[in-house]
Structure formats: structure tokens, C-alpha cells
Amino acid sequence: MDVYDVIIVGCGSAGIGAGIEFENIQSDIKYLILEARNRTGGRAYTDITTFGKDIPLDHGAHYLCHHEETNFLRRFYVPFERDYIESDSYDKSTMKIVDQNGNIIEDDLIEKATKYVEDLLLTTREYSNGTSDISVFDLVNSRLETISDQQLKSLAKMCLSYIECHEGSDLNQLSSKFYGKGEGDVIESDLAITNGLGSLVQNIALKYHLRIKLNTIVTNIDISNGIVQIKTKDNQIYLCRYVLLTIPLGCLKSNTIQFSPPLPTWKKEAIDTMGFGLLNKVYLQFSELFWEKQLRRITIVREQSQFYYCLPEYQMLALYVSGFMARQYEKKTDQQIVDEIFQSLQRIYPNITYPIKWLITRWGSDPYSQGSYSSFHLGSNPDTVKDLSQETHDGHVCWAGEHTNYDGCIGYIDSGFESGIREAKRIVNKLHVLEN
């Protein structure tokens, strides 16, 4: 039986990044990427089937984040006339914020609430050098409850809900001490790609003609006598010197792969401790446009605020749902979700027509992701990320993925690529040592 130099488990951004690094070096490294899905890209997936090739929709990651020149993905990006830089700053010409009955909220109140929350979150810095940690919810809630103006309070809660949407996690899960640390030192700047970020990632993999085997579900990894034996669901066996694990943190938490010998305690603790959030999308297509064509966002302020992204060119609205609400939605049928959203929108736009078609993502129920992306939950810290990246089993099992990117940001597609390239370089050095 052939023995590979390295087998990469998972062909998302980290697996692709590692494969590219192996292709780029001069030495002939014998590698193979095993991917459970019937496609590459992992959590970056552009759907051109549901609504047709002219309406590309990203199920998962959508923005080319941190799109400065140093971003690995930037070199492959081909600009399109409808691409644009997404901004979270309130702009009344492209954003509409209303209460649940459709009443427009005044600009000065929105600015006041935004400034209040910005000041509130500055208090997270008090925990930077402290010894204890509390959740962001526990940090801000007592001050939030002192606001006597109910509309201002609701707006402030809406601003905090947007943070939950960004992190894919609830405030009561997020660490105050390490709030914002997942962004690394990179500048936040999000480029919306019309043709889909998933398509860009997939095209990168195609460009390098990576050695990939799809529909291959790894179930067991056995390390003995210096050789790694990988077993798949269909009872195929692969042998290699090193294995690089790039599967999502959600799958690691669910023990989808059994190790022999078992993972060391410190690695299990890191996997259990690190936060892994959930962000889903509900795409709704209508027979006609009933909202203002110039809008890019519509926000409905309510107990659980709703964040809609407008796609007028497709006669669509996309609702982003995170954390607890996303988990609740995954328990409902598509019809129940659409009915609920329709009733909410009808209060704002009485002339709305019922959606003619929809697409609802369920990343939490996806067996090959079991969530969306990592963040710093209570109990985790940058050392947790470092532990997640550390090799195990005498160096034969290596680890990559956005959740391991200790030298940069976590939770992004570029995080995955960076981690895959990092580990590929490390494995190349190991192989050279063996040769010499």
C-alpha cells in the first residue's frame, strides 16, 4: 500500500492553503486531500443552483475580509463592477432602521445609541490585564438597564445584537477579557463580492490542480510505529507519515474522528473551551420590490432585532440570524420561518407580497461543520488558539483551520488559508529533516 508524505483532512480554506504550499515548493511531496463533501471550499460555498447561475448566493462566508494587499486571497480577486466595500457605519441613504411597527427611528437617537454602546464596550479594556473574566452580557447589562428612555434602550440592545451577529455568539457566551481579540491586528474592511466568495475559493483550488478526493469521510486516525493510518466511512485505508487536520472546530467538539491513541487532555480541553458560533441566512425572493431600491440594509428593532441585507437586483432580502435565534430557527421548518418573517415585514411594508422562493441555511445541523466560526467564549484565550494549533502524537498529527490561527485573526476565510500555509511549511521542514 502506498504511503503518502502527508494527508490533509478537509478541503476548506485551510486545506486548500496547505495544498497550494505543497504545490509551490520544488520538492515532490506526495500529498492527498480527503474531503467529506462533494465539493471544495468548506464553509465558503456559493450556490448557483437554487436560484440559477445568474443569482450566486453565499451560504456561508461572503465578504473578502481584511482585503488589503497582504491578504492571500487578494491576489486571486478579479474586481466586478457591482462589488463594494460594506460598512457598518449608519448611513441613512442606504440604511433604514425602524421599530417593529414600522416607525422610522430618528437619526440623532441612532447616533446617540451607537455612541452609548461604543463607550459601553470600552469597559472591556478593564479586563485586559485582570485575573478574572465575565461575559460581555454581564459586563454591560447592569448599565443598560439604567437607561430610562425605552427607545434608546431598545436601540442600544439592537447595537449589541449586531455584535452577536458578527461573532455568531450570544453576549452571555462572549468573553469580556478577550472581546475583539479575535480580529488580530488586521484592519477590518469587508469587500462584498457579487459572484460569491465561495466561487473565488473554489476557483483558487481549481487553479492549482490540487490532489483532492471528494465524498471521503474520515472516521478514524490511528498512529503507531511512526505511520499514520486513516480509515474512512466506506472502510478505505490510507497511510501517511503526517496528517494535517483542518476540519471545523464544531466537528472536533463532536468527536467526529476517533484517535488512537486518544488526544491528549490539553488538546481536548482546548477543543472544548474555544467558542464556536452559529450564523445562518434566510434568503427570500419576491415577485416585486416593495422596499426602497436604494437601501442596502433594513433593521427592525425589537426584542430580537432583525438584520436584513437588501439584494434589489435579485428582488431579494437576506436575513442574518445568529446564536440562540439561529439555533431556534434550525428546529423550525422552512415554512414556519418564512411565515414568521413575512408577518414581521408586513408590519413595516403592508404592501408586501408573499415570497415566491427562499433558501435557508442550517450550518449547525450540517454534519461537516456543526456551526459557523470560532470566537473567544468565556474560559478561552489566545493560548487556547495556540493549543489548538499544536501538533500531537509525537508530531505526526498537525492542526490547521481558522480556529488555530494564533498569529493573526480567527473566524475568517483568510484565517484558514494562513493557518494551512503555516502548517504546510512546518510539515515540509519535518520531511526535509527525515530526508537528511
Side-chain angles (χ1 to χ4, degrees):
M1 184 179 290
D2 288 343
V3 178
Y4 289 90
D5 290 319
V6 56
I7 286 181
I8 302 166
V9 180
C11 197
S13 58
I16 293 170
I20 290 172
E21 187 65 24
F22 291 141
E23 289 289 340
N24 281 339
I25 65 170
Q26 299 301 316
S27 303
D28 184 23
I29 290 180
K30 189 175 181 180
Y31 79 90
L32 180 65
I33 305 177
L34 303 180
E35 168 56 46
R37 301 180 188 275
N38 61 359
R39 59 171 180 80
T40 61
R43 287 162 281 171
Y45 169 53
T46 304
D47 183 344
I48 56 173
T49 302
T50 304
F51 294 91
K53 62 182 178 61
D54 295 328
I55 304 181
L57 299 176
D58 282 316
H59 282 218
H62 174 59
Y63 298 108
L64 178 52
C65 301
H66 325 121
H67 66 96
E68 63 276 2
E69 294 300 324
T70 55
N71 188 331
F72 176 82
L73 282 79
R74 185 60 188 259
R75 72 186 75 169
F76 304 99
Y77 165 65
V78 178
F80 187 71
E81 59 182 8
R82 294 211 311 268
D83 296 349
Y84 64 93
I85 303 298
E86 182 69 77
S87 174
D88 293 332
S89 300
Y90 175 66
D91 180 351
K92 66 179 180 181
S93 67
T94 59
M95 299 179 179
K96 181 177 182 178
I97 300 178
V98 299
D99 66 21
Q100 61 185 351
N101 296 314
N103 301 309
I104 297 289
I105 297 175
E106 298 296 326
D107 292 349
D108 60 343
L109 197 59
I110 294 170
E111 292 171 5
K112 186 176 180 180
T114 302
K115 179 65 167 57
Y116 183 87
V117 171
E118 287 175 352
D119 292 343
L120 201 58
L121 291 173
L122 287 176
T123 58
T124 59
R125 295 180 181 178
E126 298 173 7
Y127 287 84
S128 297
N129 299 312
T131 56
S132 61
D133 196 8
I134 60 173
S135 72
V136 173
F137 176 83
D138 287 335
L139 179 69
V140 304
N141 191 55
S142 58
R143 286 183 57 183
L144 202 61
E145 292 304 319
T146 63
I147 302 176
S148 56
D149 184 325
Q150 290 303 309
Q151 193 173 37
L152 178 61
K153 181 189 288 188
S154 295
L155 273 175
K157 288 182 176 180
M158 178 270 291
C159 293
L160 291 168
S161 292
Y162 184 75
I163 291 170
E164 294 180 316
C165 198
H166 177 76
E167 298 285 350
S169 300
D170 301 323
L171 292 182
N172 60 13
Q173 297 175 303
L174 294 171
S175 161
S176 290
K177 191 173 181 180
F178 298 101
Y179 173 74
K181 298 297 191 294
E183 304 299 326
D185 296 322
V186 293
I187 299 171
E188 288 188 59
S189 182
D190 300 340
L191 177 65
I193 302 177
T194 303
N195 292 324
L197 180 61
S199 292
L200 174 62
V201 172
Q202 188 174 55
N203 288 336
I204 293 172
L206 289 171
K207 175 182 173 67
Y208 283 89
H209 305 288
L210 302 179
R211 306 165 209 177
I212 305 165
K213 188 169 183 183
L214 301 175
N215 301 303
T216 306
I217 304 169
V218 173
T219 57
N220 298 81
I221 296 177
D222 185 278
I223 305 94
S224 58
N225 301 320
I227 294 294
V228 181
Q229 178 176 286
I230 297 173
K231 184 179 179 181
T232 63
K233 189 176 180 179
D234 59 357
N235 291 316
Q236 296 296 307
I237 300 294
Y238 297 86
L239 302 180
C240 57
R241 296 180 181 183
Y242 301 100
V243 60
L244 174 56
L245 266 292
T246 73
I247 64 175
L249 180 60
C251 295
L252 295 175
K253 286 178 176 290
S254 296
N255 300 305
T256 58
I257 297 176
Q258 299 300 311
F259 293 85
S260 180
L263 292 178
T265 300
W266 59 267
K267 178 66 81 172
K268 291 179 181 177
E269 289 176 349
I271 290 170
D272 292 341
T273 302
M274 193 66 195
F276 197 61
L278 179 60
L279 176 67
N280 282 324
K281 303 177 187 179
V282 181
Y283 289 103
L284 301 172
Q285 187 178 47
F286 299 88
S287 58
E288 58 185 11
L289 221 63
F290 57 82
W291 64 92
E292 301 84 341
K293 189 175 182 179
Q294 79 278 8
L295 293 180
R296 282 187 175 166
R297 294 193 194 181
I298 300 169
T299 298
I300 302 177
V301 181
R302 38 183 271 178
E303 186 63 30
Q304 294 289 338
S305 291
Q306 294 178 324
F307 302 100
Y308 293 93
Y309 290 73
C310 306
L311 305 169
E313 65 273 27
Y314 306 142
Q315 295 179 179
M316 277 186 179
L317 292 177
L319 174 66
Y320 282 36
V321 189
S322 65
F324 173 78
M325 282 303 298
R327 292 190 293 275
Q328 293 301 109
Y329 265 28
E330 292 205 9
K331 298 175 183 177
K332 299 180 180 181
T333 65
D334 282 10
Q335 192 66 60
Q336 288 173 323
I337 294 169
V338 173
D339 285 347
E340 184 178 310
I341 294 170
F342 176 74
Q343 291 168 13
S344 177
L345 284 170
Q346 196 172 37
R347 297 191 190 99
I348 317 302
Y349 295 101
N351 296 327
I352 184 178
T353 57
Y354 198 81
I356 57 175
K357 197 170 186 178
W358 50 81
L359 168 68
I360 302 174
T361 68
R362 287 179 165 83
W363 286 105
S365 306
D366 185 319
Y368 308 127
S369 63
Q370 302 196 33
S372 298
Y373 44 83
S374 61
S375 60
F376 286 114
H377 284 192
L378 274 172
S380 63
N381 57 54
D383 286 338
T384 312
V385 180
K386 194 70 181 284
D387 284 343
L388 288 168
S389 75
Q390 295 300 307
E391 59 192 28
T392 58
H393 300 86
D394 296 324
H396 291 286
V397 181
C398 304
W399 304 77
E402 51 84 12
H403 54 282
T404 74
N405 197 39
Y406 60 86
D407 273 339
C409 58
I410 59 172
Y412 295 93
I413 295 301
D414 47 310
S415 314
F417 272 100
E418 289 172 6
S419 71
I421 294 168
R422 177 200 73 218
E423 288 305 305
K425 291 179 184 294
R426 188 179 293 175
I427 291 170
V428 168
N429 289 335
K430 287 171 173 288
L431 291 169
H432 285 165
V433 168
L434 287 177
E435 290 174 359
N436 297 329

